[in-house]
């Protein structure tokens, strides 16, 4: 039975648009959309407070400690209107023990007369100061009638905001959103819930929005932990479902006779490393199984993944099917093509390149040859899975992803083939935790060894005040005939500033080095980028100024110097990737990390690690350990699954439990039919895992 799977009705209110809230205008909706990334009520409800204001300190004025947030009940005794535009309006109040002045700048006398009439008793809340020995409060956060005391929150949640949205506003909207949260069926195991002492989902969500103590804001607080766990469980369950689906499908047996692989190895000037041999053995075993293969191949930059992928593809070709390799960018696809095609040609195998730029007759010919089977290996970008691309018999797909593809793109290419086996390659070593969050329990192989004879990169950490010396040293290197990258500062908030900085540096360096300097940046058209990259490859340019676009896999063996400006702003994984760019050749390489002050402790630690090790796996682990404070740039673009409620810095242990839990659930109740199973479906929809359960056989 194939069930139509749809969002359960009980969740509809949470997926309503925030424009349906009371007292919200289109302008505010737009601002909230920018803040939350969506206009769904659920995202408002999942916007957690980052702080709290405790207004529960309600002293008599005579005892009040200035500097604190106070809530004070007092009588208005006098208004002192300003004598000039620059003076504030003052309202004197008394509670019988002492006086306090409320200070207002730029305010209409009318509104003061209305809100604070002389003789009335009011409750005001805000930060208490003392000025010349007198108590005062500027622009109180709240002024309420003594009968309206409940309009004044004694504990106020403070949220990450955006210009145009105030704490009061967001509190009001979030309160409304919380009213709409229904009681949902419990999807967590009862025993487990009891053991953790957790509240139900609705209660937990309500509680996190009404923090009382600082400890309520901690990731480990009971209610935050529960919500984090829910999110992690949804993530792990969705991944497990996709994986089961792929695994259950009958696959094909790929088992070649080894002839092509033997010929290739004879052409190559090197032996495979032990690590390469090991992972190949794992891949060949998978390929030979009658199930669909889905395996992740991890290997640091330069560890030799390409040749491993090629050998696996040749195994497929030997057994009579076609193989494809998909890269995230045209530059990378071309690079693979340039490595693979000549080798294939030598052994009589036809490999072609199909990218967006492939047009007209060339493209038609390629499409024809893919369909009639003349092409054995096709290399390209997502262009490989456009509608009109048909294969004779695609049996093996390599996705060189570098984190740029989502699960769906991965699967859509493999769907082109009849039960094609899939190998996913990633260049960034990923710590175990992140493998789990992005891939679930996918089998994975690790190339944990570099080919022999690689020389360590001479990595130096320098203050930017040494820029002059750096340029002089660079000059010597360039005169010796090397090529160099110069990576420009990243400014997260604004690509414009980024670009301006890169362009300014480019002009500086051009003034110094002349016209053999080139510039590539993210805003350039792919075509123009290619032209510059091509010139750098050919050596027409020998100094390439770049924003981090070069992070993704360019291969220029002659480039042996990497200068990174504002290295303190980059994450470890990024620095490591960038440094990997200059390890491609036989000559010893240099990496100069220029930093500016102030240098935070974490940044300093990162730079130290870069100096100490080149082991990508170690660096990745350290990266995860050190991460924090929003300091690392470019984590979002790394494409890792990002969570709204869970935080991988704190909830790793919960992730491991969720992973086990998901496995148990699917073992016991593979179709999510039981009572808990039904509740878990709601959980999946709550966290918008619709895609992974669509078409799920229920
Ligand atoms: P990756 O894709 O993992 O970054 P590549 O496959 O591009 O690495 O390999 C980097 C370089 O190392 C290439 O020039 C490749 O020919 C070479 N190489 C690969 N395997 C070996 C090996 N076993 N011994 C020596 N060199 C190797
Ligand atoms: Mg490669």
């Amino acid at each position: 039975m194939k069930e139509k799977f749809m969002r359960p009705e009980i969740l509809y209110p949470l997926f309503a648009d925030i424009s349906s809230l009371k007292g919200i205008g289109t302008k505010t909706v737009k601002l909230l959309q920018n803040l939350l990334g969506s206009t769904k009520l659920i995202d408002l409800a999942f916007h957690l407070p980052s702080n709290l204001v405790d207004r529960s300190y309600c002293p008599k004025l005579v005892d009040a400690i200035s500097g604190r947030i106070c809530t004070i009940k007092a009588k208005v005794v006098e208004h002192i209107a300003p004598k000039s535009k620059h003076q504030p309006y003052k309202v004197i109040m008394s509670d019988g023990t002492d006086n306090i002045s409320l200070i207002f700048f730029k305010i209409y006398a009318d509104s003061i007369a209305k809100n604070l009439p002389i003789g009335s008793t009011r409750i005001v809340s805000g930060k208490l100061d003392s000025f010349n020995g007198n108590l005062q409060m500027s622009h109180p956060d709240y002024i309420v009638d003594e009968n309206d005391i409940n309009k004044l929150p004694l504990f106020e949640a403070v949220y990450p905001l955006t210009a145009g949205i105030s704490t009061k506003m967001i509190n009001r909207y979030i309160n409304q959103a919380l009213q709409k949260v229904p009681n949902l069926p419990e999807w967590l195991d009862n025993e487990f819930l009891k053991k953790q002492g957790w509240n139900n989902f609705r209660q937990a969500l309500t509680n996190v929005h009404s923090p009382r103590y600082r400890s309520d804001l901690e990731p480990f607080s009971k209610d935050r932990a529960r919500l984090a766990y829910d999110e992690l469980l949804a993530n792990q369950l969705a991944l497990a479902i996709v994986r089961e689906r792929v695994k259950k499908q009958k696959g094909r047996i790929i088992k070649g006779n080894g002839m092509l692989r033997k010929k290739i190895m004879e052409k190559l000037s090197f032996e495979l490393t032990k690590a390469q041999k090991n992972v190949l053995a794992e891949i060949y075993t998978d390929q030979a199984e009658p199930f669909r293969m889905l395996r992740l191949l991890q290997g640091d930059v330069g560890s030799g993944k390409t040749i491993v992928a090629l050998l696996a593809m040749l195994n497929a070709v030997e057994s009579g099917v076609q193989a494809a390799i998909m890269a995230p960018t045209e530059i990378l696809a071309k690079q693979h093509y340039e490595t693979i095609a000549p080798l294939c040609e030598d052994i009589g195998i036809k490999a072609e390149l199909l990218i967006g730029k492939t047009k007209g007759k060339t493209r038609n010919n390629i499409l024809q040859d893919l369909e009639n089977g003349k092409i054995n290996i096709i290399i390209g970008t997502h262009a490989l899975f456009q509608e009109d691309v048909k294969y004779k018999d695609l049996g093996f797909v390599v996705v060189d992803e570098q984190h740029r593809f989502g699960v769906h793109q991965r699967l859509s290419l493999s769907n082109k083939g009849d039960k094609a086996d899939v190998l996913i390659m990633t260049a960034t070593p990923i710590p175990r935790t992140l493998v789990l969050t992005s891939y679930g329990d996918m089998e994975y192989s690790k190339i944990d060894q570099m080919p022999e004879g690689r020389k360590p990169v001479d990595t130096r950490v320098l203050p930017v005040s040494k820029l002059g010396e750096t340029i002089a040293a660079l000059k010597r290197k360039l005169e010796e005939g090397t090529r160099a990258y110069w990576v420009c500062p990243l400014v997260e908030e604004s690509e414009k500033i980024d670009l301006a900085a890169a362009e300014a540096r480019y002009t500086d360096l051009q003034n110094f080095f002349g016209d053999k300097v080139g510039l590539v940046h993210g805003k350039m058209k792919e075509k123009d980028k290619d032209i510059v990259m091509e010139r750098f490859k050919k050596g027409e340019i020998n100094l390439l100024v770049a924003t981090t676009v070069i992070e993704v896999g360019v291969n220029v063996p002659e480039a042996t110097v990497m200068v990174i400006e504002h290295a303190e702003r980059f994450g470890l994984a990024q620095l490591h990737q960038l440094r990997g760019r200059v390890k491609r050749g036989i000559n010893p390489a240099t990496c100069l990390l220029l930093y500016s002050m102030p240098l935070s402790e974490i940044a300093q630690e990162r730079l130290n690690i870069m100096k100490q090790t080149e082991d990508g796996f170690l660096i990745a682990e350290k990266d995860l350990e050190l991460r924090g404070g929003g300091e690392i740039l470019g984590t979002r673009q790394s494409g890792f699954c990002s969570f709204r409620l869970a935080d991988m810095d704190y909830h790793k242990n919960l992730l491991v439990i969720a992973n086990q839990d998901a496995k148990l659930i699917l073992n016991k109740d593979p179709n999510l039919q039981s009572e808990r199973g039904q509740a878990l479906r709601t959980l999946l929809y709550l966290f918008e895992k619709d895609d992974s359960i669509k078409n799920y056989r229920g």
Side-chain angles (χ1 to χ4, degrees):
M1 178 185 70
K2 190 158 179 177
E3 212 175 314
K4 238 200 139 111
F5 222 121
M6 291 194 321
R7 178 182 297 148
E9 255 173 67
I10 194 170
L11 293 180
Y12 286 2
L14 284 176
F15 285 85
D17 200 89
I18 46 182
S19 59
S20 66
L21 292 176
K22 269 185 245 140
I24 201 164
T26 43
K27 211 177 114 204
T28 311
V29 171
K30 274 229 176 75
L31 293 173
L32 283 173
Q33 176 167 21
N34 286 340
L35 181 67
L36 307 169
S38 104
T39 60
K40 292 190 291 287
L41 282 188
I42 181 84
D43 292 304
L44 201 47
F46 283 169
H47 191 60
L48 301 190
S50 51
N51 211 338
L52 87 138
V53 179
D54 178 350
R55 303 188 183 282
S56 65
Y57 175 55
C58 310
K60 286 284 168 205
L61 284 172
V62 70
D63 305 321
I65 300 166
S66 74
R68 283 184 69 170
I69 303 266
C70 296
T71 299
I72 298 210
K73 184 171 162 182
K75 205 169 183 171
V76 181
V77 292
E78 190 185 357
H79 286 194
I80 305 174
K83 295 198 182 65
S84 83
K85 250 193 352 205
H86 306 289
Q87 282 183 340
Y89 200 110
K90 280 192 195 172
V91 174
I92 314 294
M93 298 178 84
S94 163
D95 72 348
T97 68
D98 200 353
N99 283 357
I100 180 170
S101 316
L102 306 186
I103 308 286
F104 301 93
F105 285 91
K106 290 189 187 164
I107 196 156
Y108 295 107
D110 307 1
S111 85
I112 296 212
K114 193 172 132 227
N115 290 326
L116 291 158
I118 292 176
S120 66
T121 298
R122 290 289 182 265
I123 298 165
V124 296
S125 184
K127 184 152 171 256
L128 189 71
D129 291 315
S130 102
F131 186 71
N132 290 341
N134 299 316
L135 292 174
Q136 68 172 39
M137 189 183 283
S138 311
H139 294 265
D141 301 326
Y142 287 89
I143 300 174
V144 302
D145 195 283
E146 60 180 325
N147 301 320
D148 285 339
I149 174 82
N150 53 1
K151 281 194 186 152
L152 193 156
L154 283 188
F155 297 91
E156 188 174 37
V158 176
Y159 294 89
L161 294 175
T162 181
I165 305 270
S166 68
T167 296
K168 264 188 221 175
M169 283 162 83
I170 199 141
N171 266 294
R172 204 163 63 228
Y173 303 136
I174 287 180
N175 272 332
Q176 283 190 57
L178 289 176
Q179 304 292 321
K180 310 238 163 141
V181 179
N183 263 320
L184 295 174
E186 185 54 69
W187 46 74
L188 295 186
D189 177 65
N190 259 323
E191 296 268 300
F192 178 64
L193 197 65
K194 264 200 220 126
K195 206 178 110 207
Q196 301 286 341
W198 285 346
N199 289 307
N200 68 39
F201 172 78
R202 181 163 180 258
Q203 189 62 52
L205 189 57
T206 312
N207 289 354
V208 298
H209 285 289
S210 9
R212 284 277 165 131
Y213 306 100
R214 219 131 279 282
S215 58
D216 294 340
L217 302 165
E218 303 273 323
F220 291 121
S221 75
K222 217 165 59 166
D223 294 305
R224 289 219 174 197
R226 147 106 219 201
L227 297 180
Y229 188 78
D230 287 338
E231 183 171 41
L232 293 169
L233 182 61
N235 163 268
Q236 289 301 297
L237 192 57
L239 286 168
I241 289 171
V242 172
R243 177 171 178 272
E244 284 298 301
R245 192 157 69 215
V246 174
K247 279 266 140 189
K248 266 196 204 141
Q249 290 167 3
K250 281 231 178 68
R252 48 202 308 165
I253 295 175
I254 290 178
K255 205 166 182 205
N257 58 14
M259 285 309 290
L260 295 172
R261 284 171 280 167
K262 187 160 166 267
K263 279 193 206 160
I264 278 284
M265 285 318 299
E266 283 164 8
K267 298 273 169 207
L268 290 176
S269 57
F270 53 76
E271 287 280 311
L272 294 179
T273 61
K274 199 157 156 269
Q276 284 171 315
K277 284 183 189 155
N278 288 344
V279 304
L280 271 169
E282 287 167 343
I283 292 169
Y284 294 153
T285 309
D286 266 9
Q287 288 179 315
E289 296 273 353
F291 307 107
R292 266 184 85 172
M293 154 178 175
L294 187 58
R295 179 176 283 274
L296 181 66
L297 171 61
Q298 278 189 278
D300 209 346
V301 192
S303 63
K305 292 183 295 297
T306 315
I307 188 72
V308 167
L310 177 59
L311 288 165
M313 289 197 284
L314 289 175
N315 184 24
V317 175
E318 284 166 14
S319 67
V321 298
Q322 291 166 302
I325 177 164
M326 174 168 77
T329 65
E330 301 208 335
I331 293 181
L332 260 183
K334 262 174 40 197
Q335 209 164 278
H336 279 318
Y337 176 72
E338 281 155 18
T339 315
I340 291 171
L343 287 168
C344 285
E345 199 179 327
D346 279 354
I347 59 169
I349 291 300
K350 192 168 159 77
E352 286 290 348
L353 177 71
L354 180 62
I355 54 182
K357 245 181 281 169
T358 320
K359 294 259 156 71
K361 201 158 166 254
T362 320
R363 185 166 192 275
N364 285 339
N365 286 340
I366 290 179
L367 293 197
Q368 218 170 45
D369 288 349
L370 275 175
E371 201 167 356
N372 65 29
K374 274 192 199 145
I375 293 178
N376 308 102
I377 292 179
I378 186 80
I379 299 150
T381 51
H382 50 277
L384 293 181
F385 60 81
Q386 279 155 5
E387 277 288 334
D388 61 339
V389 183
K390 299 201 178 68
Y391 294 81
K392 174 154 189 259
D393 189 5
L394 180 62
F396 183 62
V397 175
V398 180
V399 182
D400 182 6
E401 75 163 3
Q402 325 237 357
H403 315 313
R404 308 274 156 149
F405 297 112
V407 180
H408 287 279
Q409 267 169 310
R410 280 175 212 151
L411 292 179
S412 52
L413 181 56
S414 66
N415 287 341
K416 283 272 178 195
D418 182 19
K419 304 160 196 125
D421 282 354
V422 181
L423 178 71
I424 297 168
M425 300 202 296
T426 84
T428 316
I430 313 172
R432 175 83 194 135
T433 344
L434 286 185
V435 172
L436 269 187
T437 59
S438 307
Y439 302 94
D441 275 311
M442 189 181 287
E443 262 94 10
Y444 74 101
S445 303
K446 230 161 124 171
I447 307 184
D448 53 6
Q449 173 188 28
M450 285 290 181
E452 259 171 57
R454 295 276 162 86
K455 294 178 196 70
V457 178
D458 179 10
T459 301
R460 298 186 199 179
V461 179
L462 305 163
V464 77
S465 55
K466 297 256 168 79
L467 192 69
E469 288 152 62
T470 306
I471 291 180
L474 186 59
K475 185 158 189 273
R476 283 194 300 276
K477 290 275 187 188
L478 293 178
E479 279 163 5
E480 284 165 19
T482 189
R483 271 167 243 173
Y485 299 100
W486 188 294
V487 175
C488 274
L490 256 178
V491 181
E492 186 172 42
E493 290 79 29
S494 161
E495 280 181 58
K496 257 196 212 139
I497 302 177
D498 256 15
L499 187 54
E503 274 168 347
R505 183 59 75 217
Y506 169 60
T507 315
D508 285 351
L509 292 170
Q510 245 182 346
N511 286 339
F512 197 86
F513 291 112
D515 58 1
K516 289 187 85 175
V517 185
L519 173 68
V520 278
H521 58 75
K523 286 264 168 203
M524 275 164 87
K525 288 205 187 98
E526 188 89 16
K527 199 178 80 194
D528 298 330
K529 252 191 266 183
D530 276 9
I531 293 172
V532 180
M533 291 306 305
E534 216 43 60
R535 292 189 63 207
F536 185 61
K537 262 189 188 174
K538 287 190 193 135
E540 293 166 15
I541 289 170
N542 60 13
L543 179 58
L544 186 66
V545 181
T547 58
T548 43
V549 285
I550 59 160
E551 192 188 333
V552 184
V554 291
N555 192 4
V556 181
E558 294 83 357
T560 58
V561 178
M562 168 70 64
V563 182
I564 303 176
E565 254 190 272
H566 276 295
E568 80 282 0
R569 295 191 189 165
F570 291 83
L572 263 181
Q574 255 178 331
L575 290 173
H576 176 67
Q577 285 291 311
L578 286 168
R579 181 168 60 184
R581 297 298 127 230
V582 290
K583 283 168 70 173
R584 307 238 134 203
I586 36 172
N587 292 319
T590 310
C591 176
L592 302 175
L593 303 173
L594 296 178
Y595 64 86
S596 306
M597 301 306 269
L599 195 57
S600 73
E601 236 170 79
I602 292 183
Q604 196 165 357
E605 182 65 26
R606 282 202 292 262
L607 296 178
N608 278 341
I609 291 166
M610 284 300 291
K611 232 164 68 176
Q612 283 157 15
T613 181
E614 284 179 50
D615 179 339
F617 287 100
L618 187 69
I619 288 179
E621 293 288 351
K622 292 276 179 200
D623 189 27
L624 201 64
E625 252 170 56
L626 284 180
R627 206 168 286 210
E631 240 196 301
I632 297 215
L633 302 177
T635 41
R636 197 165 301 145
Q637 81 214 38
S638 73
F640 282 125
C641 184
S642 61
F643 294 108
R644 286 181 287 179
L645 307 174
D647 182 338
M648 275 311 101
D649 291 343
Y650 301 99
H651 296 130
K652 274 190 233 174
N653 57 334
L654 292 181
L655 176 71
V656 176
I657 303 173
N659 174 261
Q660 299 296 330
D661 203 2
K663 260 189 267 188
L664 273 178
I665 289 164
L666 289 185
N667 265 340
K668 269 202 267 182
D669 183 14
N671 297 320
L672 299 183
Q673 295 286 19
S674 67
E675 199 183 335
R676 184 177 178 208
Q678 299 284 346
L680 284 160
R681 291 179 181 210
T682 306
L683 172 72
L684 289 170
Y685 277 104
L686 183 65
F687 285 96
E688 295 172 74
K689 303 294 177 194
D690 309 27
D691 284 343
S692 56
I693 39 180
K694 231 188 274 161
N695 309 319
Y696 183 48
R697 278 172 188 281

